[in-house]
């Protein structure tokens, strides 16, 4: 943030008291780049730390409202600037950070937090559970705010980051490129390196870096950028990623907005998908990292999203099959479908290319998939 922009904010505040009505900031129209984090000075570590919009994408500030503005370039920042006063103090850079928390998750895996360091606070926006042996994330958790309808739309996508210390494989981003994944998958299946049988030359039949916690699941562009860590992604066919899974993400955000409910969301993967070997016909597991007998970065069999309302203790798991080539998805249906409960799902559930999709109770899902925390669930979402 440049000084001139900082002053603009001050001027706004100085004028406000005479009008006795405070002021408002539109996430889509009033925040310039590089954008600051707009924080509540009284603390909080997750969504509580951020000023949330009160109406649409508008953050409303009342007279004498205290607000922290933290800037991403390391220059002097404003903290605790109040209306009609110019108290300011330095803070540290709130560029996003991904790091091990030092805690374990599930049975001995390592927990990663992604968020912002602001002064002595770490503002957590995602918690992940990472399996270093298989180079993949078991789940990524975030809290979806009921104010998500006001998110900054069309915020540009940055490049993906590997972070440091998580993967033991180097160059993970390049393992995902279309050319590299084609070679890797074709060799696993006994095809020539240049075959387009599974990894198409140009269409959406290729493996994308599929977000676990989605970009648009957060209000601010600065938060959107923080989702682009490769530990927050898994290989996902783009046909599925861009269609049914994208629809599910939007539907869940709409559910939160429409019902004005804050949700806790876990997104993870399960199993390794297979295709038939071109010579032997054997079911062959797909990975993006293959080195001799070593395998890593599995192409998941299913993606799942557990959506939980902690107040009602209500939760449901939404599941999509990650393989546009399977003829019969029945062995990927691991629990009883309860999607008839939800009129708001817009996916084309039985379309295999779009990602065959269904819904289950948490208890039923847990009979097969146990790689998520044991939440207290008393009813469906
Ligand atoms: C997410 O929500 C849960 C349940 O309300 C809460 O316990 C947890 O602290 C929240 N996490 C963050 C990072 O805000």
């Amino acid at each position: 943030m440049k000084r001139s922009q900082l002053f603009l904010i001050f001027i706004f505040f100085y004028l406000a008291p005479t009008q006795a009505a405070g002021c408002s900031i539109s996430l889509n129209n009033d925040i310039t780049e590089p954008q600051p984090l707009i924080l509540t000075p009284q603390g909080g570590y997750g969504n509580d730390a951020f000023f949330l919009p009160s109406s649409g994408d508008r953050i409303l500030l009342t007279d004498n409202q205290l607000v922290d503005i933290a800037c991403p370039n390391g220059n002097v920042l404003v903290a605790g600037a109040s209306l009609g006063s110019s108290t300011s103090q330095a803070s540290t850079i709130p560029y996003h950070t991904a790091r091990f928390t030092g805690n374990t998750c599930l049975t001995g895996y390592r927990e990663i937090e992604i968020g912002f360091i602001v002064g002595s606070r770490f503002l957590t926006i995602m918690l992940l559970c990472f399996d270093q042996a298989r180079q993949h994330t078991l789940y990524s958790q975030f809290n979806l705010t009921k104010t998500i309808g006001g998110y900054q739309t069309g915020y540009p996508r940055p490049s993906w980051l590997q972070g440091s210390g998580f993967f033991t494989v180097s160059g993970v981003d390049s393992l995902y490129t279309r050319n590299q994944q084609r070679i890797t998958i074709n060799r696993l299946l006994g095809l020539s390196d240049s075959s387009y049988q599974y990894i198409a030359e140009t269409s959406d039949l290729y493996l994308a870096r599929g977000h676990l916690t989605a970009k648009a699941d957060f209000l601010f562009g600065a938060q959107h950028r923080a989702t682009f860590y490769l530990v927050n992604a898994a290989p996902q066919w783009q046909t599925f990623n861009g269609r049914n899974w994208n629809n599910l993400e939007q539907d869940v955000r709409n559910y939160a907005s429409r019902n004005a409910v804050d949700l806790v969301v876990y997104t993870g993967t399960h199993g390794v998908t297979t295709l038939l070997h071109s010579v032997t016909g054997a079911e062959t597991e797909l990975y993006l990292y293959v080195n001799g007998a070593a395998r890593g970065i599995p192409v998941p069999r299913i993606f799942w999203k557990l959506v939980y309302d902690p107040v009602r203790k209500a939760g449901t798991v939404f599941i999509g099959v990650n393989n546009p080539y399977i003829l019969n998805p029945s062995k990927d249906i691991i629990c009883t479908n309860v999607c008839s409960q939800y009129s708001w799902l817009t996916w084309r559930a039985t379309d295999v290319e779009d990602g065959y999709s269904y819904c289950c109770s948490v208890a039923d899902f847990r009979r097969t998939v146990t790689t998520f925390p044991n939440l207290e669930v008393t009813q469906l979402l």
Side-chain angles (χ1 to χ4, degrees), residues 45-47 124 141 143 264 310:
Y45 290 89
N47 283 336
T124 306
Q141 179 261 324
N143 285 2
V264 179

Side-chain angles (χ1 to χ4, degrees), residues 190-205:
L191 294 163
S192 80
D193 283 0
S194 59
S195 168
Y196 295 130
Q197 186 169 341
Y198 295 114
I199 308 299
E201 189 173 10
T202 55
S203 81
D204 281 349
L205 289 165

Side-chain angles (χ1 to χ4, degrees), residues 229-307:
Y229 280 96
L230 288 159
V231 288
N232 184 43
Q236 185 177 34
W237 295 93
Q238 180 56 22
T239 45
F240 170 40
N241 180 32
R243 300 179 203 166
N244 278 350
W245 201 246
N246 185 48
N247 288 345
L248 174 67
E249 290 167 347
Q250 288 177 0
D251 291 343
V252 172
R253 288 191 288 269
N254 290 341
Y255 176 93
S257 294
R258 200 174 50 245
N259 298 294
V261 58
D262 289 324
L263 298 169
V264 179
V265 182
Y266 291 82
T267 308
T269 64
H270 176 71
V272 187
T273 202
T274 60
L275 288 170
L276 299 184
H277 191 278
S278 66
V279 178
T280 66
E283 296 263 6
T284 304
E285 292 188 339
L286 305 184
Y287 295 85
L288 290 189
Y289 175 75
V290 178
N291 184 3
R295 301 278 183 275
I297 316 178
V299 179
R301 195 169 194 88
I302 60 170
F303 278 67
W304 55 264
K305 193 178 282 294
L306 165 51
V307 182

Side-chain angles (χ1 to χ4, degrees), residues 35-286:
Q35 64 175 253
L37 301 180
I38 303 171
L39 305 172
T40 59
Q42 57 270 37
Y45 290 89
N47 283 336
D48 292 350
F50 293 84
F51 249 102
L52 303 178
S54 322
S55 164
D57 78 339
R58 294 204 158 264
I59 291 175
L60 303 182
L61 300 175
T62 56
D63 283 352
N64 302 313
Q65 176 103 56
L66 286 168
V67 58
D68 276 6
I69 309 272
C71 297
N73 62 3
N75 286 339
V76 173
L77 311 172
V78 186
S82 75
L83 294 177
S85 94
S86 61
T87 354
S88 70
Q89 63 193 70
S91 184
T92 47
I93 310 167
Y95 185 74
H96 54 71
T97 298
R99 65 185 192 184
F100 284 121
T101 61
N103 299 327
T104 57
C105 43
L106 303 173
T107 49
Y109 300 107
R110 298 180 73 180
E111 188 182 61
I112 295 170
E113 60 187 355
I114 299 179
F116 300 90
I117 297 171
V118 177
S120 57
R121 295 154 77 189
F122 190 90
L123 311 183
T124 306
I125 66 167
M126 273 174 276
L127 278 178
L128 299 86
C129 187
F130 190 66
D131 175 355
Q132 238 168 354
R134 298 192 345 130
Q135 308 282 298
H136 86 132
T137 295
L138 296 162
Y139 65 77
S140 171
Q141 179 261 324
F142 79 105
N143 285 2
L144 179 61
T145 165
K146 59 178 178 262
T147 65
I148 193 62
Y151 80 87
Q152 253 187 298
T153 55
Y155 195 80
R157 296 168 69 94
S159 320
W160 286 87
L161 297 170
Q162 179 157 342
S164 73
F166 311 134
F167 293 95
T168 53
V169 170
S170 59
V172 172
D173 195 54
S174 60
L175 296 175
Y176 272 95
T177 63
R178 223 190 251 251
N179 287 338
Q180 185 55 54
Q181 67 176 256
R182 183 182 299 115
I183 293 170
T184 309
I185 300 294
N186 286 350
R187 288 184 186 173
L188 285 169
L189 299 174
L191 294 163
S192 80
D193 283 0
S194 59
S195 168
Y196 295 130
Q197 186 169 341
Y198 295 114
I199 308 299
E201 189 173 10
T202 55
S203 81
D204 281 349
L205 289 165
Y206 72 95
L207 293 160
R209 300 163 186 84
H211 270 98
L212 298 176
T213 294
K215 171 180 184 284
D217 284 341
F218 296 104
L219 287 164
F220 299 93
Q223 295 172 312
H224 294 188
R225 293 179 68 86
T227 64
F228 284 78
Y229 280 96
L230 288 159
V231 288
N232 184 43
Q236 185 177 34
W237 295 93
Q238 180 56 22
T239 45
F240 170 40
N241 180 32
R243 300 179 203 166
N244 278 350
W245 201 246
N246 185 48
N247 288 345
L248 174 67
E249 290 167 347
Q250 288 177 0
D251 291 343
V252 172
R253 288 191 288 269
N254 290 341
Y255 176 93
S257 294
R258 200 174 50 245
N259 298 294
V261 58
D262 289 324
L263 298 169
V264 179
V265 182
Y266 291 82
T267 308
T269 64
H270 176 71
V272 187
T273 202
T274 60
L275 288 170
L276 299 184
H277 191 278
S278 66
V279 178
T280 66
E283 296 263 6
T284 304
E285 292 188 339
L286 305 184

